[in-house]
Structure formats: structure tokens, C-alpha cells
Coordinates of all heavy atoms in Angstrom, one line a residue:
M1 N 111.7 71.2 146.9 CA 112.1 72.3 146.0 C 112.4 73.5 146.9 O 111.5 74.0 147.6 CB 111.0 72.6 145.0 CG 111.5 73.4 143.8 SD 110.2 73.6 142.6 CE 111.0 74.7 141.5
L2 N 113.6 73.9 146.9 CA 114.0 75.1 147.7 C 114.1 76.3 146.9 O 114.6 76.3 145.8 CB 115.3 74.8 148.5 CG 115.3 73.7 149.6 CD1 116.7 73.3 150.0 CD2 114.4 74.1 150.7
K3 N 113.7 77.4 147.5 CA 113.8 78.7 146.8 C 114.5 79.7 147.8 O 114.3 79.6 149.0 CB 112.4 79.2 146.5 CG 111.8 78.4 145.3 CD 112.5 78.7 144.0 CE 112.0 77.7 142.9 NZ 112.8 77.8 141.7
K4 N 115.2 80.6 147.2 CA 115.9 81.7 148.0 C 115.0 82.9 148.0 O 114.6 83.4 147.0 CB 117.3 82.0 147.4 CG 118.2 82.7 148.4 CD 119.5 83.0 147.7 CE 120.4 83.9 148.6 NZ 121.6 84.3 147.9
C5 N 114.7 83.4 149.2 CA 113.9 84.6 149.4 C 114.7 85.8 148.8 O 115.8 86.0 149.1 CB 113.6 84.9 150.8 SG 112.7 86.4 151.1
S6 N 114.0 86.6 147.9 CA 114.7 87.7 147.3 C 114.9 88.9 148.2 O 115.7 89.7 148.0 CB 113.9 88.1 146.1 OG 113.8 87.1 145.1
A7 N 114.0 88.9 149.3 CA 114.1 90.1 150.2 C 115.2 89.8 151.3 O 116.0 90.7 151.5 CB 112.8 90.3 150.8
C8 N 115.1 88.7 152.0 CA 116.1 88.5 153.1 C 117.2 87.5 152.8 O 118.1 87.3 153.5 CB 115.3 88.0 154.3 SG 114.5 86.4 154.2
G9 N 117.0 86.7 151.6 CA 118.1 85.8 151.2 C 118.0 84.5 151.9 O 118.9 83.6 151.7
E10 N 116.9 84.2 152.7 CA 116.8 82.9 153.4 C 116.3 81.9 152.4 O 115.5 82.2 151.5 CB 115.8 83.1 154.5 CG 116.0 82.1 155.6 CD 115.1 82.4 156.8 OE1 115.0 83.5 157.3 OE2 114.4 81.4 157.2
V11 N 116.8 80.7 152.6 CA 116.4 79.6 151.7 C 115.2 78.9 152.3 O 115.3 78.4 153.5 CB 117.5 78.5 151.5 CG1 117.0 77.4 150.7 CG2 118.7 79.2 150.8
V12 N 114.1 78.9 151.6 CA 112.8 78.3 152.1 C 112.3 77.3 151.1 O 112.6 77.3 150.0 CB 111.8 79.4 152.5 CG1 112.2 80.2 153.7 CG2 111.6 80.3 151.3
R13 N 111.3 76.5 151.6 CA 110.6 75.6 150.7 C 109.7 76.4 149.7 O 109.2 77.4 150.1 CB 109.8 74.6 151.5 CG 110.7 73.4 152.0 CD 109.9 72.6 153.0 NE 109.5 73.4 154.1 CZ 108.8 72.9 155.1 NH1 108.3 71.7 155.1 NH2 108.4 73.7 156.2
R14 N 109.5 75.9 148.5 CA 108.7 76.6 147.5 C 107.3 76.9 148.1 O 106.8 78.0 147.8 CB 108.6 75.7 146.3 CG 107.7 76.3 145.2 CD 108.2 77.6 144.6 NE 107.3 78.2 143.7 CZ 106.4 79.1 144.1 NH1 106.3 79.5 145.4 NH2 105.6 79.7 143.3
R15 N 106.7 76.0 148.8 CA 105.4 76.2 149.3 C 105.3 77.2 150.5 O 104.3 77.7 150.9 CB 104.6 74.9 149.6 CG 105.3 74.1 150.8 CD 104.6 72.7 150.8 NE 105.4 71.8 151.7 CZ 105.1 71.5 152.9 NH1 104.0 71.9 153.4 NH2 105.8 70.7 153.6
D16 N 106.5 77.5 151.0 CA 106.6 78.5 152.1 C 106.9 79.9 151.6 O 107.3 80.8 152.4 CB 107.6 78.0 153.2 CG 107.1 76.9 154.0 OD1 105.8 76.8 154.1 OD2 107.9 76.1 154.5
C17 N 106.9 80.1 150.3 CA 107.2 81.4 149.8 C 106.2 81.7 148.7 O 105.5 80.9 148.2 CB 108.7 81.5 149.3 SG 109.1 80.4 148.0
H18 N 106.2 83.0 148.3 CA 105.3 83.5 147.3 C 106.1 84.1 146.2 O 107.0 84.9 146.4 CB 104.4 84.5 148.0 CG 103.6 85.4 147.0 ND1 102.5 84.8 146.3 CD2 103.7 86.6 146.5 CE1 102.0 85.8 145.5 NE2 102.8 86.9 145.6
K19 N 105.7 83.8 145.0 CA 106.3 84.4 143.8 C 105.5 85.6 143.3 O 104.4 85.5 143.0 CB 106.3 83.3 142.7 CG 107.2 83.7 141.5 CD 107.2 82.7 140.4 CE 108.1 83.1 139.2 NZ 108.0 82.1 138.1
N20 N 106.2 86.7 143.4 CA 105.5 87.9 143.0 C 105.5 88.1 141.4 O 106.1 87.3 140.7 CB 106.1 89.2 143.7 CG 107.5 89.5 143.3 OD1 108.0 89.1 142.2 ND2 108.1 90.3 144.1
R21 N 104.9 89.2 141.0 CA 104.8 89.4 139.5 C 106.1 89.7 138.8 O 106.2 89.7 137.6 CB 103.8 90.5 139.3 CG 104.3 91.9 139.7 CD 103.2 92.9 139.4 NE 102.8 93.6 140.7 CZ 102.3 94.8 140.7 NH1 102.2 95.5 139.6 NH2 101.9 95.4 141.8
Y22 N 107.2 89.9 139.6 CA 108.5 90.1 139.0 C 109.3 88.8 139.0 O 110.5 88.8 138.6 CB 109.2 91.2 139.7 CG 108.5 92.5 139.7 CD1 108.1 93.1 140.9 CD2 108.2 93.2 138.5 CE1 107.4 94.3 140.9 CE2 107.5 94.4 138.5 CZ 107.1 94.9 139.8 OH 106.4 96.1 139.8
G23 N 108.7 87.7 139.4 CA 109.4 86.5 139.4 C 110.3 86.3 140.6 O 111.2 85.4 140.6
E24 N 110.1 87.1 141.6 CA 110.9 87.0 142.8 C 110.1 86.2 143.9 O 108.9 86.2 143.9 CB 111.1 88.4 143.4 CG 111.9 89.3 142.5 CD 111.9 90.8 143.0 OE1 110.9 91.2 143.5 OE2 112.9 91.4 142.9
Y25 N 110.9 85.5 144.7 CA 110.3 84.6 145.7 C 110.4 85.4 147.0 O 111.5 85.8 147.4 CB 111.0 83.3 145.8 CG 110.7 82.4 144.5 CD1 111.6 82.4 143.5 CD2 109.5 81.7 144.4 CE1 111.3 81.7 142.3 CE2 109.2 81.0 143.3 CZ 110.1 80.9 142.3 OH 109.8 80.2 141.1
I26 N 109.3 85.5 147.7 CA 109.3 86.2 149.0 C 108.8 85.2 150.1 O 107.7 84.6 149.9 CB 108.3 87.5 149.0 CG1 108.6 88.4 147.8 CG2 108.4 88.2 150.3 CD1 110.0 89.1 147.8
C27 N 109.6 85.0 151.1 CA 109.2 84.0 152.1 C 108.1 84.5 153.0 O 107.7 85.7 153.0 CB 110.4 83.7 153.0 SG 111.0 85.0 154.1
R28 N 107.5 83.6 153.8 CA 106.3 84.0 154.6 C 106.7 85.0 155.6 O 105.8 85.9 155.9 CB 105.8 82.7 155.3 CG 105.2 81.7 154.4 CD 103.7 81.5 154.7 NE 103.2 80.4 153.8 CZ 102.7 80.7 152.6 NH1 102.7 82.0 152.1 NH2 102.2 79.8 151.8
Q29 N 107.9 85.0 156.2 CA 108.3 85.9 157.2 C 108.3 87.3 156.6 O 107.8 88.3 157.3 CB 109.6 85.6 157.8 CG 109.6 84.5 158.9 CD 111.0 84.1 159.3 OE1 111.9 83.9 158.5 NE2 111.2 84.1 160.6
C30 N 108.8 87.5 155.4 CA 108.9 88.8 154.8 C 107.5 89.3 154.4 O 107.2 90.4 154.5 CB 109.8 88.7 153.6 SG 111.5 88.5 154.0
Q31 N 106.7 88.3 154.0 CA 105.3 88.7 153.6 C 104.6 89.2 154.8 O 103.8 90.2 154.8 CB 104.6 87.5 153.1 CG 104.9 87.1 151.6 CD 104.0 86.0 151.2 OE1 102.9 86.0 151.0 NE2 104.7 84.8 151.0
A32 N 104.8 88.6 156.0 CA 104.2 89.0 157.3 C 104.6 90.4 157.6 O 103.9 91.2 158.2 CB 104.6 88.0 158.4
K33 N 105.9 90.8 157.2 CA 106.4 92.1 157.5 C 105.8 93.1 156.4 O 106.2 94.3 156.5 CB 107.9 92.1 157.4 CG 108.5 91.6 158.7 CD 110.0 91.7 158.7 CE 110.6 90.3 158.5 NZ 112.1 90.4 158.2
G34 N 105.1 92.6 155.5 CA 104.5 93.5 154.5 C 105.4 93.7 153.2 O 105.1 94.6 152.4
I35 N 106.4 92.8 153.1 CA 107.3 92.9 151.9 C 106.6 92.2 150.8 O 106.3 91.0 150.9 CB 108.7 92.4 152.3 CG1 109.3 93.3 153.3 CG2 109.5 92.4 151.0 CD1 110.6 92.8 153.9
R36 N 106.4 92.8 149.7 CA 105.9 92.2 148.5 C 106.9 92.1 147.4 O 106.9 91.2 146.6 CB 104.7 93.0 148.0 CG 103.5 92.9 148.9 CD 102.7 91.6 148.8 NE 101.7 91.5 149.8 CZ 101.8 91.1 151.1 NH1 103.0 90.7 151.5 NH2 100.9 91.0 151.9
F37 N 107.8 93.0 147.4 CA 108.9 93.1 146.4 C 110.2 93.3 147.1 O 110.2 93.7 148.3 CB 108.7 94.2 145.4 CG 107.3 94.4 144.9 CD1 106.6 95.5 145.4 CD2 106.7 93.5 144.1 CE1 105.3 95.7 145.0 CE2 105.4 93.7 143.7 CZ 104.7 94.8 144.1
T38 N 111.3 93.1 146.4 CA 112.6 93.4 147.0 C 112.8 94.9 147.1 O 112.2 95.7 146.3 CB 113.8 92.8 146.2 OG1 113.7 93.4 144.9 CG2 113.7 91.3 146.1
P39 N 113.7 95.4 148.0 CA 113.9 96.9 148.1 C 114.2 97.5 146.7 O 113.8 98.6 146.4 CB 115.0 97.0 149.1 CG 114.9 95.8 149.9 CD 114.4 94.7 149.0
W40 N 115.0 96.7 145.9 CA 115.4 97.2 144.6 C 114.2 97.4 143.7 O 114.0 98.4 143.0 CB 116.4 96.2 144.0 CG 116.7 96.5 142.5 CD1 116.5 95.7 141.5 CD2 117.3 97.7 142.0 NE1 117.0 96.3 140.3 CE2 117.5 97.5 140.6 CE3 117.7 98.9 142.5 CZ2 118.0 98.5 139.8 CZ3 118.3 99.9 141.7 CH2 118.4 99.6 140.3
R41 N 113.2 96.4 143.7 CA 112.0 96.5 142.9 C 111.1 97.7 143.4 O 110.5 98.4 142.6 CB 111.2 95.2 143.0 CG 111.7 94.1 142.2 CD 111.5 94.4 140.7 NE 112.2 93.4 139.9 CZ 112.3 93.5 138.6 NH1 111.8 94.5 137.9 NH2 112.9 92.5 137.9
V42 N 111.1 97.9 144.7 CA 110.3 99.0 145.3 C 110.9 100.3 144.8 O 110.2 101.2 144.4 CB 110.3 98.9 146.8 CG1 109.6 100.2 147.4 CG2 109.5 97.7 147.3
F43 N 112.2 100.4 144.8 CA 112.9 101.6 144.3 C 112.6 101.8 142.9 O 112.2 103.0 142.5 CB 114.4 101.4 144.5 CG 115.2 102.5 143.9 CD1 115.3 103.8 144.5 CD2 115.9 102.3 142.7 CE1 116.0 104.8 143.9 CE2 116.7 103.3 142.2 CZ 116.7 104.5 142.8
L44 N 112.7 100.8 142.0 CA 112.4 100.9 140.6 C 110.9 101.4 140.4 O 110.6 102.2 139.6 CB 112.6 99.6 139.9 CG 114.0 99.2 139.5 CD1 114.1 97.9 138.8 CD2 114.7 100.3 138.7
H45 N 110.0 100.7 141.2 CA 108.6 101.0 141.1 C 108.3 102.5 141.4 O 107.7 103.2 140.6 CB 107.9 100.1 142.1 CG 106.4 100.1 141.9 ND1 105.8 99.5 140.8 CD2 105.4 100.6 142.6 CE1 104.5 99.7 140.9 NE2 104.2 100.4 142.0
N46 N 108.9 102.9 142.5 CA 108.7 104.3 142.9 C 109.4 105.3 142.0 O 108.9 106.4 141.7 CB 109.2 104.5 144.4 CG 108.3 103.8 145.4 OD1 107.2 103.6 145.1 ND2 108.9 103.5 146.5
G47 N 110.6 104.9 141.5 CA 111.3 105.7 140.6 C 110.6 105.9 139.3 O 110.6 107.0 138.8
K48 N 109.9 104.9 138.8 CA 109.2 105.0 137.6 C 108.0 106.0 137.8 O 107.7 106.8 136.9 CB 108.6 103.6 137.2 CG 108.5 103.4 135.7 CD 107.7 102.2 135.3 CE 108.5 100.9 135.4 NZ 107.7 99.7 135.2
K49 N 107.3 105.8 138.9 CA 106.2 106.7 139.2 C 106.7 108.2 139.3 O 106.0 109.1 138.8 CB 105.6 106.3 140.6 CG 104.4 105.4 140.5 CD 103.5 105.5 141.7 CE 104.1 104.7 142.9 NZ 103.2 104.6 144.0
W50 N 107.9 108.4 140.0 CA 108.4 109.7 140.1 C 108.8 110.3 138.7 O 108.5 111.4 138.5 CB 109.7 109.6 141.0 CG 110.3 110.9 141.3 CD1 109.9 111.8 142.3 CD2 111.3 111.6 140.5 NE1 110.7 112.9 142.2 CE2 111.6 112.8 141.1 CE3 112.1 111.2 139.4 CZ2 112.5 113.7 140.6 CZ3 113.0 112.1 138.9 CH2 113.2 113.3 139.5
L51 N 109.3 109.4 137.9 CA 109.8 109.8 136.6 C 108.6 110.3 135.7 O 108.6 111.3 135.0 CB 110.5 108.7 135.9 CG 111.3 109.1 134.6 CD1 112.5 109.9 135.0 CD2 111.7 107.8 133.8
I52 N 107.5 109.5 135.8 CA 106.3 109.8 135.0 C 105.7 111.1 135.5 O 105.4 112.0 134.7 CB 105.2 108.6 135.2 CG1 105.7 107.4 134.4 CG2 103.9 109.1 134.7 CD1 105.0 106.1 134.7
S53 N 105.6 111.3 136.8 CA 105.0 112.6 137.3 C 105.9 113.8 136.9 O 105.5 114.9 136.6 CB 104.7 112.6 138.8 OG 105.7 111.8 139.5
F54 N 107.3 113.5 136.9 CA 108.2 114.6 136.6 C 108.0 114.9 135.1 O 108.0 116.1 134.8 CB 109.6 114.1 136.9 CG 110.7 115.0 136.4 CD1 110.9 116.2 137.2 CD2 111.4 114.8 135.3 CE1 111.9 117.1 136.8 CE2 112.4 115.7 134.9 CZ 112.7 116.8 135.6
L55 N 107.9 113.9 134.3 CA 107.7 114.2 132.8 C 106.4 114.9 132.6 O 106.4 115.8 131.7 CB 107.8 112.9 132.0 CG 109.2 112.3 131.8 CD1 109.1 110.9 131.2 CD2 110.1 113.2 131.0
L56 N 105.3 114.5 133.3 CA 104.0 115.2 133.1 C 104.1 116.6 133.5 O 103.6 117.5 132.8 CB 103.0 114.4 134.0 CG 102.4 113.2 133.4 CD1 101.4 112.5 134.4 CD2 101.6 113.5 132.1
L57 N 104.8 116.9 134.6 CA 105.0 118.2 135.1 C 105.8 119.1 134.1 O 105.5 120.2 133.8 CB 105.8 118.2 136.4 CG 105.8 119.5 137.2 CD1 104.4 119.7 137.9 CD2 106.9 119.5 138.3
L58 N 106.8 118.4 133.5 CA 107.7 119.1 132.5 C 106.9 119.4 131.3 O 107.0 120.6 130.7 CB 108.8 118.1 132.1 CG 110.1 118.8 131.6 CD1 110.8 119.4 132.8 CD2 111.0 117.7 131.0
V59 N 106.0 118.5 130.8 CA 105.2 118.7 129.6 C 104.2 119.8 129.9 O 104.0 120.7 129.1 CB 104.5 117.4 129.2 CG1 103.4 117.7 128.2 CG2 105.5 116.4 128.6
A60 N 103.6 119.8 131.1 CA 102.6 120.8 131.5 C 103.2 122.2 131.5 O 102.7 123.1 131.0 CB 102.0 120.4 132.8
T61 N 104.4 122.2 132.1 CA 105.2 123.5 132.2 C 105.5 124.0 130.8 O 105.3 125.2 130.5 CB 106.5 123.3 133.0 OG1 106.1 122.7 134.2 CG2 107.1 124.7 133.3
A62 N 105.9 123.1 129.9 CA 106.3 123.5 128.5 C 105.1 124.0 127.8 O 105.2 125.0 127.1 CB 106.8 122.2 127.8
I63 N 103.9 123.4 128.0 CA 102.7 123.8 127.4 C 102.3 125.2 127.9 O 102.0 126.1 127.1 CB 101.5 122.8 127.6 CG1 101.8 121.5 126.8 CG2 100.1 123.4 127.2 CD1 100.8 120.4 127.2
V64 N 102.4 125.4 129.2 CA 102.1 126.7 129.8 C 103.0 127.8 129.2 O 102.5 128.9 128.8 CB 102.1 126.7 131.3 CG1 102.1 128.1 131.9 CG2 101.0 125.8 131.8
I65 N 104.3 127.5 129.2 CA 105.3 128.5 128.7 C 105.0 128.8 127.2 O 105.0 129.9 126.8 CB 106.7 127.9 128.9 CG1 107.1 128.0 130.3 CG2 107.7 128.7 128.0 CD1 108.4 127.3 130.7
L66 N 104.7 127.7 126.4 CA 104.4 127.9 125.0 C 103.1 128.8 124.8 O 103.1 129.7 124.0 CB 104.1 126.6 124.3 CG 105.3 125.9 123.7 CD1 105.0 124.5 123.2 CD2 105.9 126.7 122.5
L67 N 102.1 128.6 125.6 CA 100.9 129.4 125.6 C 101.2 130.9 125.8 O 100.8 131.7 125.1 CB 99.9 128.9 126.6 CG 99.1 127.6 126.1 CD1 98.2 127.1 127.3 CD2 98.2 127.9 124.9
F68 N 102.0 131.1 126.9 CA 102.4 132.5 127.2 C 103.3 133.1 126.1 O 103.1 134.2 125.8 CB 103.2 132.5 128.5 CG 102.3 132.6 129.7 CD1 101.8 131.5 130.4 CD2 102.0 133.9 130.2 CE1 101.0 131.6 131.5 CE2 101.1 134.0 131.3 CZ 100.6 132.9 131.9
W69 N 104.1 132.2 125.5 CA 105.0 132.7 124.5 C 104.2 133.1 123.2 O 104.4 134.2 122.7 CB 106.0 131.5 124.1 CG 107.1 131.9 123.3 CD1 108.0 132.9 123.5 CD2 107.5 131.4 122.0 NE1 108.9 133.0 122.5 CE2 108.6 132.1 121.6 CE3 107.0 130.3 121.2 CZ2 109.2 131.8 120.4 CZ3 107.6 130.0 120.0 CH2 108.7 130.7 119.6
W70 N 103.3 132.2 122.9 CA 102.4 132.5 121.7 C 101.6 133.8 122.0 O 101.3 134.6 121.1 CB 101.5 131.3 121.4 CG 102.2 130.3 120.6 CD1 102.6 129.1 121.1 CD2 102.7 130.3 119.3 NE1 103.3 128.4 120.2 CE2 103.3 129.1 119.0 CE3 102.6 131.2 118.2 CZ2 103.9 128.8 117.8 CZ3 103.1 130.9 117.0 CH2 103.8 129.7 116.8
G71 N 101.2 133.9 123.2 CA 100.4 135.1 123.6 C 101.3 136.4 123.7 O 100.8 137.5 123.8
G72 N 102.6 136.2 123.6 CA 103.5 137.3 123.6 C 103.5 138.0 125.0 O 103.9 139.2 125.1
Q73 N 103.1 137.3 126.0 CA 103.1 137.9 127.4 C 104.3 137.6 128.2 O 104.7 138.4 129.1 CB 101.9 137.3 128.1 CG 100.6 137.8 127.6 CD 99.4 137.2 128.2 OE1 99.4 136.8 129.3 NE2 98.3 137.0 127.4
L74 N 105.1 136.5 127.9 CA 106.2 136.2 128.6 C 107.5 136.9 128.1 O 108.3 137.4 128.8 CB 106.4 134.7 128.6 CG 107.4 134.1 129.7 CD1 106.8 134.4 131.1 CD2 107.5 132.6 129.5
F75 N 107.6 136.9 126.7 CA 108.7 137.5 126.1 C 108.2 138.6 125.1 O 107.2 138.4 124.5 CB 109.5 136.5 125.3 CG 110.0 135.3 126.1 CD1 109.4 134.1 125.9 CD2 111.0 135.5 127.1 CE1 109.8 133.0 126.7 CE2 111.4 134.4 127.8 CZ 110.8 133.2 127.6
P76 N 108.9 139.7 125.0 CA 108.4 140.8 124.1 C 108.8 140.5 122.7 O 109.7 141.1 122.1 CB 109.1 142.0 124.7 CG 110.4 141.5 125.3 CD 110.1 140.1 125.8
V77 N 108.3 139.4 122.1 CA 108.6 139.0 120.7 C 107.5 139.3 119.8 O 107.5 138.8 118.7 CB 109.0 137.5 120.7 CG1 110.4 137.3 121.4 CG2 108.0 136.6 121.3
T78 N 106.5 140.0 120.2 CA 105.3 140.3 119.4 C 105.7 141.0 118.1 O 105.1 140.8 117.0 CB 104.3 141.1 120.1 OG1 104.9 142.1 120.9 CG2 103.4 140.2 121.1
V79 N 106.7 141.8 118.2 CA 107.2 142.6 117.0 C 107.7 141.6 116.0 O 107.4 141.6 114.8 CB 108.3 143.6 117.4 CG1 108.8 144.4 116.2 CG2 107.7 144.6 118.4
L80 N 108.5 140.6 116.5 CA 109.1 139.6 115.6 C 108.0 138.8 115.0 O 108.0 138.4 113.8 CB 110.1 138.7 116.3 CG 111.5 139.3 116.7 CD1 112.2 138.4 117.6 CD2 112.3 139.4 115.4
F81 N 107.0 138.4 115.8 CA 105.9 137.6 115.3 C 105.1 138.3 114.3 O 104.7 137.8 113.3 CB 105.0 137.2 116.5 CG 105.4 135.8 117.0 CD1 106.5 135.6 117.8 CD2 104.6 134.7 116.6 CE1 106.9 134.4 118.2 CE2 105.0 133.5 117.1 CZ 106.1 133.3 117.8
D82 N 104.9 139.6 114.5 CA 104.1 140.4 113.5 C 104.9 140.4 112.2 O 104.2 140.2 111.1 CB 104.0 141.8 114.0 CG 102.9 141.9 115.1 OD1 102.1 140.9 115.2 OD2 102.9 142.8 115.9
A83 N 106.2 140.6 112.2 CA 107.0 140.6 111.0 C 106.9 139.2 110.3 O 106.8 139.2 109.1 CB 108.4 140.9 111.4
A84 N 107.0 138.1 111.1 CA 106.9 136.8 110.5 C 105.5 136.6 109.9 O 105.4 136.0 108.8 CB 107.2 135.8 111.6
N85 N 104.5 137.0 110.6 CA 103.1 136.8 110.0 C 102.9 137.6 108.7 O 102.2 137.1 107.8 CB 102.1 137.3 111.1 CG 102.0 136.3 112.2 OD1 102.3 135.1 112.0 ND2 101.6 136.7 113.4
K86 N 103.5 138.8 108.6 CA 103.4 139.6 107.5 C 104.1 139.0 106.2 O 103.6 139.1 105.1 CB 103.9 141.0 107.7 CG 102.9 141.9 108.3 CD 103.5 143.2 108.8 CE 102.6 144.0 109.8 NZ 103.3 145.0 110.5
S87 N 105.2 138.4 106.5 CA 106.0 137.8 105.4 C 105.3 136.5 104.8 O 105.6 136.2 103.7 CB 107.4 137.5 105.9 OG 107.4 136.4 106.8
V88 N 104.5 135.9 105.6 CA 103.8 134.6 105.2 C 102.7 135.0 104.2 O 102.0 135.9 104.4 CB 103.3 133.8 106.4 CG1 102.4 132.6 105.9 CG2 104.4 133.3 107.2
Ligands
ZN1 ZN1 112.4 86.6 153.3

């Protein structure tokens, strides 16, 4: 049973390669070089991590801005807020 290495494209026997969690076959030579996934998978993996940290940062920034906004320290909207509070 022959399998094609997802990283280098070499055709190797099934027992001479390793199937990773993404269903990709990585040959022994690539494993020795420290390759566990294809460059595309590594990119996706890192990209997802980057996206999550970016979203967390965005949410954290939004919360901080909202806190300042509610505190009336970032924008001078306290007058508007007072008017809105009085009408309720
Ligand atoms: Zn390989």
C-alpha cells in the first residue's frame, strides 16, 4: 500500500509514513525534519491562533472603550446621557 507524503510529495509505503490528525500522510524523512503537518496546515493552524488572539484583543478593546464611554471620560456625552436618564 503506497501513500503520497503530503509535505514533500514523495510516494512511500504506508508503514513508512505517519498519518496526522488532519488525515495527511507524512513520510519518515519529513518527520525527522520535524514536519508534522503540511505548510498549508501549519499556516491554517497559526492563522487560527492569530485570528483568535486578534478577536480577543478587539473584544477587550471594545470593553475598555465602552467602560470609558459609560464613564463619560472618553467623549463629552455626559450631558446627553443625563438628558436620556431624565427622560426614562
Ligand atoms: Zn515527506
Side-chain angles (χ1 to χ4, degrees):
M1 195 176 177
L2 292 171
K3 289 288 170 193
K4 196 179 174 191
C5 172
S6 298
C8 66
E10 206 176 309
V11 176
V12 290
R13 279 171 296 181
R14 176 63 189 94
R15 62 190 166 107
D16 286 335
C17 60
H18 167 76
K19 190 180 179 184
N20 69 17
R21 65 180 120 153
Y22 302 118
E24 296 168 325
Y25 293 96
I26 308 295
C27 72
R28 292 244 181 273
Q29 277 177 312
C30 289
Q31 281 183 71
K33 279 184 252 169
I35 296 168
R36 291 285 174 270
F37 320 109
T38 58
W40 172 239
R41 281 291 174 188
V42 172
F43 172 76
L44 279 183
H45 190 72
N46 290 337
K48 212 193 280 174
K49 264 200 287 188
W50 183 86
L51 194 73
I52 288 167
S53 38
F54 175 75
L55 283 175
L56 279 176
L57 192 76
L58 207 71
V59 168
T61 310
I63 288 169
V64 168
I65 287 173
L66 269 175
L67 282 174
F68 271 91
W69 192 56
W70 281 106
Q73 289 172 30
L74 198 65
F75 306 107
V77 290
T78 40
V79 179
L80 283 170
F81 263 77
D82 284 342
N85 287 335
K86 272 169 198 163
S87 66
V88 171

